[in-house]
Amino acid sequence: MTREVVTQSYGSSIKGVLGKKLGMTQVFDAENKMIPVTVVSVESCVVTSIRTPEKDGYSAVQLGYGAIDPKKVSKPLAGHYAKAGVTPRRSVAELRTLSAAEYTVGQEIGASTFAAGDIVDATGTSTGKGTAGVMKRHGFGGLSSSHGVDRKHRMPGSIGACSTPGRVFKGMRMMGRMGNEKVTTQNLTVQAVDLENNLLLIKGSVPGTDGGLVFIRSAAKKALVETVKAGM
């Protein structure tokens, strides 16, 4: 008798692509259930450099996305892109993978990198909301609105610690800038792939605003498993 044993494969087959979030829509599956999806355009993504353990000490692939006027890049970056034989790109990101040798400089990366059903992580810059108070930023309940309370209903309350230690601890949750931070949403499912238009339809919400840059790569926690046969 044999059984299937699923083992985790760290880094061996990690895939990734840079793209632009276009917005959200909905599709219907085979059972006519409505599925909310985020549409990500991954056209014009190209390999600009390959990192090797012999030269760089680690294995990775540098990806570039988004065409930009050559006049708007610095001379060092212009030389970097010229060496790779690609036009200048607006954004770059590195994908750590042990299979970097399978890529070539100048190679175009598209929606075919992933298939429907793949589990991915999506990284983007969250929507900036400006300066926010503690109720909006951290979900504080606010002060009581009954009699005897001054006009401080949305204030954070006391932040001090008396004479010992006589200071405010670092990391105290207070008002401040909200959003505009690097955010990663894990374990999203690729619902469908549009190869003709180089689009990925990802089930659920992807961080960032419409038109923002997103980095889609194989899920870190549920990444690519290898199935082997083991005797019992």
Side-chain angles (χ1 to χ4, degrees):
M1 181 178 179
T2 62
R3 64 185 178 90
E4 289 187 351
V5 179
V6 179
T7 58
Q8 194 77 20
S9 175
Y10 292 100
S12 59
S13 302
I14 300 299
K15 301 177 293 184
V17 65
L18 284 171
K20 180 173 66 174
K21 177 180 175 180
L22 299 183
M24 294 195 70
T25 184
Q26 60 189 28
V27 296
F28 294 88
D29 61 7
E31 300 177 354
N32 276 341
K33 292 183 179 180
M34 186 188 71
I35 308 296
V37 295
T38 301
V39 183
V40 178
S41 172
V42 295
E43 61 181 357
S44 75
C45 183
V46 65
V47 177
T48 56
S49 182
I50 297 177
R51 311 299 188 190
T52 60
E54 296 79 15
K55 182 179 179 181
D56 305 288
Y58 65 99
S59 178
V61 177
Q62 186 187 79
L63 304 175
Y65 178 83
I68 188 175
D69 189 344
K71 296 180 181 180
K72 296 183 179 180
V73 298
S74 63
K75 287 186 177 181
L77 281 178
H80 176 68
Y81 292 123
K83 182 180 179 181
V86 299
T87 56
R89 304 292 164 147
R90 184 178 301 275
S91 305
V92 294
E94 275 195 357
L95 174 69
R96 291 289 188 103
T97 175
L98 298 180
S99 56
E102 300 177 3
Y103 296 84
T104 57
V105 176
Q107 176 184 349
E108 292 281 346
I109 306 294
S112 59
T113 302
F114 295 102
D118 286 351
I119 307 299
V120 297
D121 293 341
T123 301
T125 302
S126 62
T127 303
K129 301 180 183 299
T131 301
V134 291
M135 294 183 69
K136 181 176 181 180
R137 192 183 187 200
H138 302 295
F140 282 18
L143 302 181
S144 173
S145 56
S146 61
H147 292 289
V149 178
D150 203 352
R151 296 178 181 178
K152 298 180 180 294
H153 306 300
R154 300 183 66 87
M155 298 296 288
S158 175
I159 64 172
C162 297
S163 59
T164 303
R167 63 184 176 87
V168 177
F169 290 106
K170 290 184 178 180
M172 179 70 66
R173 293 183 298 171
M174 301 176 68
M175 64 286 291
R177 190 185 71 174
M178 183 178 179
N180 194 30
E181 297 176 337
K182 182 179 178 181
V183 177
T184 298
T185 302
Q186 295 183 319
N187 303 331
L188 298 173
T189 303
V190 178
Q191 183 68 25
V193 178
D194 186 346
L195 297 178
E196 182 178 355
N197 298 307
N198 260 331
L199 299 176
L200 293 176
L201 275 63
I202 301 175
K203 182 179 179 180
S205 178
V206 170
T209 59
D210 294 350
L213 180 73
V214 291
F215 190 12
I216 310 297
R217 58 186 182 275
S218 302
K221 292 182 178 178
K222 295 187 177 180
L224 306 161
V225 295
E226 299 173 346
T227 302
V228 296
K229 297 289 185 178
M232 290 185 63

